[in-house]
Amino acid sequence: MAKRKPHPGFRFPGPVPKEALEFFKAKKLRPSFSYLDVAAEEHALNFTVSKSVGYDILGDVHGALVEHLEGGGTLRTFEKQLTPTLQKKGWWGVEQVTDPKAGKKVRAQLGSPRRLRTIFRANMRSARAAGQWQRIQRTKRTHPYLLYKLGPSEEHRHEHVAWEGTLLPADDPWWRDHMTPNGWG
């Protein structure tokens, strides 16, 4: 089996939209142990990283993401900048950590290249989507329809392929559940 080339990471085409940057900067830091600790709706207002409870890392990660949004950095520069800080603070590798709800020690993956890739891509995509949604709302009087198009993924989910070409008014409730990003790879 041929080895896949790593994806180069997310980049905005041109300057980062001001709406995307404002959305991301406004998020409040919210430490969590599990991704389930923060409800889906809360992610719009809060920045969180699973297994960050007990580690002073959220400000570092959020700050690095803001810096990369502002300066157009890549996943590689994000990893290179952040990895030494996270390692110094003990948030790296697989460790035994205490689950605050269960009060038990569990084996957990803290920082890793894969985790940083997930954090980077998810936050770049959600910031971009928030900026797009604000522009859609601002221009829907003159551009009242949205068209669902597939992104650049190598493999698409069957349901996403079925949605390809859907054209609906910007205010249609369908967009609440189908607006991108609606999958995380």
Side-chain angles (χ1 to χ4, degrees):
M1 176 182 255
K3 192 172 181 181
R4 279 177 140 177
K5 283 185 172 181
H7 189 279
F10 180 87
R11 274 189 182 268
F12 280 99
V16 176
K18 70 178 173 86
E19 297 92 343
L21 188 55
E22 288 169 3
F23 160 80
F24 194 76
K25 281 182 164 181
K27 286 188 163 198
K28 306 233 180 321
L29 303 183
R30 171 94 189 275
S32 68
F33 184 76
S34 166
Y35 74 95
L36 298 171
D37 294 345
V38 181
E41 304 81 36
E42 290 181 279
H43 281 279
L45 304 172
N46 296 285
F47 176 76
T48 190
V49 173
S50 293
K51 310 299 183 279
S52 60
V53 168
Y55 296 90
D56 180 28
I57 63 152
L58 276 183
D60 299 308
V61 178
H62 185 265
L65 287 164
V66 167
E67 209 173 292
H68 280 74
L69 275 167
E70 289 175 327
T74 65
L75 169 61
R76 302 295 172 251
T77 59
F78 175 75
E79 289 174 329
K80 189 176 180 180
Q81 172 191 351
L82 200 52
T83 298
T85 302
L86 298 176
Q87 289 173 335
K88 184 179 176 183
K89 291 186 172 190
W91 197 81
W92 198 259
V94 176
E95 297 287 337
Q96 289 290 324
V97 296
T98 303
D99 177 342
K101 286 189 179 173
K104 295 180 182 177
K105 288 263 188 193
V106 295
R107 189 174 151 90
Q109 174 66 61
L110 302 177
S112 70
R114 183 177 178 180
R115 293 271 329 257
L116 291 183
R117 184 173 55 245
T118 300
I119 291 165
F120 184 82
R121 289 181 180 165
N123 284 284
M124 293 294 141
R125 289 175 181 167
S126 63
R128 181 175 186 270
Q132 283 180 323
W133 189 251
Q134 287 178 11
R135 285 190 307 284
I136 288 165
Q137 295 307 305
R138 191 175 61 242
T139 61
K140 67 184 174 188
R141 194 169 42 86
T142 58
H143 298 80
Y145 292 93
L146 298 178
L147 176 66
Y148 189 92
K149 302 278 290 174
L150 291 173
S153 298
E154 290 179 19
E155 296 177 29
H156 297 283
R157 293 185 187 142
H158 296 294
E159 61 188 348
H160 293 195
V161 172
W163 302 336
E164 170 79 7
T166 299
L167 179 69
L168 294 168
D171 287 332
D172 192 287
W174 188 83
W175 294 111
R176 277 194 299 260
D177 298 321
H178 298 79
M179 190 66 184
T180 59
N182 58 14
W184 301 100

